[in-house]
Amino acid sequence: MDPDRKRRALFGKPSLIVWAVGIFLVALVLMSSRWVTQPAPYCIAFASSITGPIGFTGQESLVATQIYLDQVNRSGGINGHPVELVVFDDKSSGAGAIANVPSIAESPCLAVLGHFSSAASLPAGALYKQAKIAAVTGQTAADELTKDNPYYFSAQTPNRYQGAFMADYINALVTSGRSPAASGAPTVDFIYSGDAFGRSLLAGYKEGNGGELPRTWEIAPQRDLFDASLKAVVEQLAAVPEPRIIVIGSSTDFIGPILRALRRANIHSSIFLGASGASEGIIKGVADDSDGHDASAFFQNLYAFSPLLLDSTGENGLEFAAEYARRTGKRPGWIPAKANDAARLMVEALRRAHPQLTAASKVADRERVRAALAELTSPAQAVPGLDGPIYFSATHEMPRPMRLGIFQSGRLISAPLQLVQLENLPTGAVDKEIEKGNVVSVRGKFYWLQRVVYAGIDINRLNRVDLRDGSFNADVYVWMRYGGNNEDPVQITFSDMKDPKSFMPDKPLEAVIEGDLNYRLYHLVGDFKANFDLHRYPFDQQNLIIRFQNTSKPRQQVAYAVDTFGLRVDETSYAHGNPDAFRDVDLWHVTGVRPFVGYVSTASTLGKLPLISSNNRIEYAAFDTEIQLRRDAVAFITKSLIPLFLLVLIVFATLFFPYSLVKERCTIPVTGVLTSAVLMISIDSQLPPVGYTVAMEYAFYVFFGLCLMAMLSGFTCETLRTHNRQALSAAIDLGVKLTYATTIIGTIALYFWFFGRP
C-alpha cells in the first residue's frame, strides 16, 4: 500500500470516528474500574424508636444522624470509606430492642447508635456487652447505662446530675427571686413517675437540695393505674394555694398527660420540666389538645432544662438547624441535636480505629472502635460538636450543666439567666466575683451567672459591595434585650468596621424597659471589611458578615442568643429580610440573611498573675449576621464576556479559510490572543490582588491555547502542502477543527458542571 493510502486509512473520517469511539470506551473502562474498586462502606447500626408511642424521637434522630453522615460522605468519607446506616426499629420498647441485638451482632455493623429511651437502652446494653459491640446514645440519661458496661457511651447528662442541677438552679435563682421565673415562690412541688427514670431524677434533686426532699407527688407509671393516680395528685395540688414551683420529673411519654391535667385544673404556677419535656413538639401536642381551654395558657410560666438550646449555639448549631428544617420543615430540638453529636463522636472513633473490614477482623474491628471511643475522655481529645467541644467523662457520660429554656408562643428559647460551671479560677478571684454578683455558690459548687442577651441585626440597606476594596457598606439596626442592672451586655465593638469608633454603645437610638428586660436600639451605617473567596468568580457566592463582640465580660457572664421573634426567624433559621434592602446591589442575588452566635477567644494573660500560670483561654461572646449573596453569572457574562465569545467564533472561522489566506489564518489568532489578554486584564482590574487563578481565567487560558493551535495548524498544513502531502495536511486540518469544536463544547460543559449549581 502506498504511503498516501496508508495516511488516508489512518486519518480519514471513518477512522477518526473509530479513534473517538475507542478513546471513549477506554475512558469508560477506567471510570468503571474506579467505581468497582471504591472502598467498602463503614456500616453503623442505627437502633432507635422509629415506630411506637415515641416513634417521633427515632425519626428525628435518624434525620439528624444522616445529615452529618451525608456531610462526611461528601467530604470523601472516613479514610476514603463511605459511611452507611443500617436501621433497626426497637418499636419504643425494651422487647423490640432485645429482639434486634442478634441481627445487629450478625451484621457487618461496626458499632451502634441508639437508643432513645432507657427502657430500650438498658436491656439492649447488657446484650451489646455480650456481643462486644460498642454503642453510643445521644439521649438516654439513665444512670445505670454505662455502669459496669465498657461498651456503652452516653453523650448525655445523666439523670442524677440533671436532677441535682435543676435543684441548684431553682435554689440559686428562682426561690431567691434573682430570676423572674416564679417570682421568688418559696415552695417546690416535685411530681415524678414512680419508675426508675422518675426516681433517679428525684434522687438527683434531693442531692442538689442539700439532702432534703421537696414536697413530692408520685404518679403510678403502670398504664392501668396512671390515670387515677394522676387525677388524685392534680386534685390535691389544685387545693394548695399559689404561687409555688412545680417540677415534673418523668420520662417523655408521661410529660404530656401530666402537663395537660395541671393546666386543665387551672393551676397557673411556674412549671419546670427536665430534658424529657424540652421539646416543642410535645408541648404543642398538649396545647392542640386543650379541650376548650385557652391554648396559650399551656405555655405560660413553662420552663424546661435542656442539654442545649440552638438559639444560643454557634455556627455549627445554626447550620444544622437550617439543614434539619430544610429536610423536615420543622425546627430541631435537643433530641435530634444530640443524635447529631453522637454521630460526630462515632465518626471520629471510626476514623481513629482504621477497621480492616474482613470477615476475620470483625471482632477486632469492633473492639478497636470501642477503644477509640474510650479515648475521647478529655478536652485534648474532644470532637467539635454543635455547641462546642464534646467528650466523655471517665465513666463514659457527659455530666454538664443544663440550659434553661422558656416556652414563648410555642418556641423554646434561652431564659435570661443561666448557670455556667466555673473552672480554673483561683479561690481569691472566686470570692471577689461572688461579691460582685457574677458567681453563685451552691453546695460548695461555683457557677458563673450568665446573662443571656436576645440580640438582632436587621439589614436596612446594603448600599455597596466593593470587591476591589474588600469591603461592603451597610445600613443596619442593632438591638438587645437583657436582664440585670448594668450595661455590660451593650459594651460591644464592631471589629470589622473600617471605623469602629463610629459606634458608640452609650448613645442608643432608644433605651427603655420592656417587662423584666432592658431594651437598647442602635442605628449604624458604615463600611465593613470582608474576605471574598474568588476561586469561582464570576460564578461565586459571597458571605458578608456583620459581627459585634462583647469587650467587657467573658461569655461565661454575657452570652448572646438569636432574637427569633424580633428577627422573625423562620423554620430554616433564616431571617425574613426586607427585599428593598438589597435593591442597590447590582449583579447580585441575596439568597438569605442568617443570624448566629459565636465567640472570639484569646490566649493572652492580659498581664494578670492568676492567668500566667494557667492555660485558660478567655472567650468573649459575639453575634453575627451573615448576608449570603450569589452573583448573577448570566448578567455578568452578557455584560463582560460577549467580546470573548465573538473572538472564539472568529478564530474558529479562520480554520475554514482557503489555503490562499494562510497569512490571515495565522495573524488573526495572534490578534485574538492580544485582544483577549487586554479583556482579561480589564476584568481582573475589578478584583483585589489574589494569589490564585479564578474560574473565569481558565476560559481565557483555553482560548489562548486554541489560538496557538490555530496558528500552528496553519503553518503546519501550508508546509505539508508545499511538500505535496495534501492527504496528511487535510487530516490534520480536520483534526484541528474537531479538536477546536469539541474543546469549546467540553469547556462550556465543564463550566456548567462545576459552576452551574450552587
Side-chain angles (χ1 to χ4, degrees):
M1 184 182 293
D2 64 83
D4 284 341
R5 290 181 64 186
K6 278 188 177 182
R7 293 187 198 100
R8 284 194 296 271
L10 286 173
F11 299 104
K13 290 184 180 179
S15 296
L16 287 173
I17 294 174
V18 172
W19 276 100
V21 171
I23 292 171
F24 173 77
L25 291 174
V26 170
L28 185 62
V29 168
L30 291 174
M31 293 175 66
S32 300
S33 65
R34 179 180 179 274
W35 294 331
V36 169
T37 59
Q38 185 178 21
Y42 288 161
C43 293
I44 303 172
F46 181 87
S48 192
S49 305
I50 306 300
T51 60
I54 55 172
F56 72 94
T57 61
Q59 295 164 21
E60 291 179 356
S61 299
L62 180 58
V63 173
T65 302
Q66 196 61 59
I67 285 174
Y68 184 65
L69 296 189
D70 288 347
Q71 179 183 335
V72 170
N73 289 333
R74 284 195 300 269
S75 302
I78 303 175
N79 304 322
H81 296 264
V83 187
E84 294 181 359
L85 287 180
V86 181
V87 179
F88 295 87
D89 180 13
D90 64 28
K91 302 177 182 178
S92 302
S93 70
I98 291 171
N100 286 332
V101 175
S103 298
I104 293 173
E106 290 298 321
S107 75
C109 295
L110 296 166
V112 180
L113 285 171
H115 300 251
F116 172 78
S117 71
S118 55
S121 57
L122 287 173
L127 298 180
Y128 293 147
K129 180 180 178 181
Q130 291 179 14
K132 295 186 176 180
I133 182 169
V136 178
T137 176
Q139 294 108 354
T140 299
D143 300 304
E144 303 86 356
L145 182 65
T146 62
K147 186 178 181 181
D148 299 324
N149 189 345
Y151 286 86
Y152 226 132
F153 298 80
S154 175
Q156 172 63 297
T157 302
N159 262 358
R160 289 179 68 97
Y161 192 96
Q162 283 190 37
F165 181 79
M166 292 166 70
D168 285 348
Y169 188 99
I170 290 172
N171 289 331
L173 300 181
V174 182
T175 57
S176 66
R178 298 185 70 171
S179 169
S183 302
T187 306
V188 176
D189 287 308
F190 196 103
I191 305 173
Y192 69 100
S193 53
D195 53 12
F197 188 95
R199 290 196 178 99
S200 178
L201 272 176
L202 179 61
Y205 194 96
K206 177 183 177 181
E207 179 183 335
N209 202 39
E212 296 183 7
L213 280 173
R215 192 161 54 191
T216 57
W217 308 85
E218 181 177 343
I219 297 175
Q222 295 84 357
R223 295 296 175 184
D224 55 339
L225 302 175
F226 178 81
D227 290 339
S229 176
L230 175 59
K231 181 180 179 182
V233 168
V234 171
E235 287 176 351
Q236 294 179 67
L237 284 170
V240 178
E242 297 188 290
R244 55 352 195 356
I245 299 163
I246 296 176
V247 179
I248 300 178
S250 73
S251 55
T252 300
D253 43 351
F254 296 135
I255 291 291
I258 296 173
L259 181 59
R260 187 182 299 111
L262 290 171
R263 290 311 194 207
R264 285 179 177 175
N266 293 318
I267 296 176
H268 303 294
S269 296
S270 294
I271 296 178
F272 290 80
L273 309 174
S276 56
S279 167
E280 293 178 3
I282 294 174
I283 306 306
K284 184 177 184 299
V286 174
D288 290 344
D289 189 21
S290 57
D291 193 22
H293 292 73
D294 181 9
S296 63
F298 286 84
F299 298 108
Q300 292 177 0
N301 302 319
L302 183 60
Y303 302 83
F305 290 92
S306 176
L308 59 82
L309 293 169
L310 288 171
D311 67 345
S312 55
T313 59
E315 189 172 7
N316 282 351
L318 269 296
E319 285 181 353
F320 163 74
E323 179 60 20
Y324 182 91
R326 188 188 68 79
R327 297 193 185 195
T328 66
K330 300 176 182 178
R331 282 188 302 274
W334 73 267
I335 293 173
K338 294 300 288 184
N340 188 277
D341 273 351
R344 291 168 179 265
L345 291 161
M346 182 64 75
V347 165
E348 180 60 25
L350 290 171
R351 183 176 287 115
R352 297 183 181 199
H354 298 283
Q356 301 302 307
L357 299 184
T358 66
S361 69
K362 185 167 77 169
V363 173
D365 287 345
R366 290 175 173 178
E367 181 58 30
R368 278 194 288 266
V369 173
R370 188 209 64 78
L373 286 166
E375 291 176 355
L376 305 176
T377 54
S378 70
Q381 303 293 331
V383 175
L386 294 183
D387 192 27
I390 50 176
Y391 55 93
F392 301 109
S393 67
T395 55
H396 297 176
E397 301 167 319
M398 287 192 183
R400 297 185 176 187
M402 309 286 280
R403 304 289 290 180
L404 181 66
I406 178 172
F407 284 95
Q408 288 189 0
S409 300
R411 291 189 183 185
L412 184 62
I413 64 173
S414 296
L417 289 178
Q418 305 286 341
L419 293 183
V420 177
Q421 193 163 331
L422 187 149
E423 298 175 347
N424 301 327
L425 200 63
T427 304
V430 171
D431 294 338
K432 291 181 180 178
E433 295 295 342
I434 292 175
E435 291 177 8
K436 295 177 184 177
N438 296 328
V439 170
V440 296
S441 174
V442 188
R443 297 184 295 119
K445 298 174 67 174
F446 300 100
Y447 296 98
W448 288 108
L449 182 60
Q450 184 188 71
R451 297 159 71 186
V452 173
V453 183
Y454 307 109
I457 298 177
D458 220 347
I459 310 299
N460 188 42
R461 186 64 57 87
L462 181 61
N463 297 312
R464 184 183 70 254
V465 177
D466 190 336
L467 292 181
R468 181 72 183 175
D469 186 51
S471 67
F472 62 96
N473 182 275
D475 179 336
V476 302
Y477 286 113
V478 181
W479 68 83
M480 294 177 232
R481 292 185 289 115
Y482 57 93
N485 54 9
N486 61 49
E487 298 298 298
D488 288 340
V490 299
Q491 301 306 310
I492 60 174
T493 183
F494 288 82
S495 56
D496 289 329
M497 280 192 73
K498 286 194 169 183
D499 182 17
K501 294 182 179 180
S502 62
F503 174 77
M504 292 176 284
D506 58 338
K507 294 184 178 180
L509 190 65
E510 187 176 348
V512 296
I513 296 178
E514 295 183 345
D516 298 315
L517 301 178
N518 302 295
Y519 172 79
R520 300 291 183 270
L521 174 67
Y522 300 90
H523 182 217
L524 181 64
V525 181
D527 289 328
F528 297 84
K529 292 176 283 187
N531 294 318
F532 294 114
D533 183 357
L534 299 172
H535 283 88
R536 294 170 61 94
Y537 179 84
F539 309 96
D540 53 323
Q541 299 180 76
Q542 302 297 340
N543 298 327
L544 310 180
I545 295 180
I546 300 174
R547 161 180 286 192
F548 67 75
Q549 67 186 68
N550 195 283
T551 58
S552 173
K553 298 292 182 181
R555 74 166 178 160
Q556 290 91 339
Q557 298 180 48
V558 174
Y560 297 103
V562 177
D563 184 5
T564 55
F565 293 101
L567 287 169
R568 300 188 296 276
V569 173
D570 62 18
E571 299 291 342
T572 60
S573 296
Y574 284 86
H576 293 291
N578 176 14
D580 292 337
F582 309 105
R583 65 187 181 193
D584 294 335
V585 184
D586 296 329
L587 298 179
W588 293 99
H589 296 300
V590 177
T591 58
V593 178
R594 186 167 66 99
F596 60 93
V597 296
Y599 64 90
V600 178
S601 65
T602 175
S604 173
T605 64
L606 305 180
K608 295 183 178 181
L609 292 177
L611 298 179
I612 292 175
S613 59
S614 72
N615 294 321
N616 213 22
R617 298 181 66 87
I618 302 175
E619 298 176 347
Y620 295 94
F623 185 93
D624 301 74
T625 288
E626 179 183 70
I627 307 169
Q628 299 182 344
L629 303 176
R630 185 178 70 247
R631 190 185 302 276
D632 188 342
V634 174
F636 176 88
I637 291 170
T638 303
K639 182 178 179 180
S640 303
L641 295 183
I642 289 297
L644 179 63
F645 293 148
L646 294 176
L647 288 171
V648 169
L649 294 176
I650 290 171
V651 173
F652 185 54
T654 64
L655 300 180
F656 296 90
F657 283 6
Y659 291 108
S660 59
L661 297 177
V662 65
K663 179 179 178 182
E664 288 76 7
R665 182 171 174 174
C666 296
T667 56
I668 289 177
V670 174
T671 305
V673 169
L674 297 176
T675 305
S676 60
V678 172
L679 177 62
M680 186 177 75
I681 292 171
S682 173
I683 296 175
D684 282 347
S685 66
Q686 303 171 26
L687 307 179
V690 293
Y692 50 82
T693 302
V694 302
M696 176 203 64
E697 292 174 333
Y698 289 108
F700 283 93
Y701 297 154
V702 169
F703 179 64
F704 295 159
L706 292 175
C707 288
L708 180 61
M709 182 183 69
M711 281 190 302
L712 293 177
S713 69
F715 285 124
T716 302
C717 290
E718 179 60 21
T719 301
L720 290 173
R721 289 184 61 82
T722 58
H723 288 79
N724 200 27
R725 304 179 71 176
Q726 287 83 355
L728 181 57
S729 175
I732 292 175
D733 194 43
L734 177 61
V736 168
K737 292 173 182 176
L738 290 173
T739 301
Y740 194 105
T742 54
T743 300
I744 295 300
I745 294 171
T747 300
I748 294 173
L750 285 173
Y751 267 90
F752 182 80
W753 176 258
F754 283 109
F755 306 113
R757 299 163 296 175

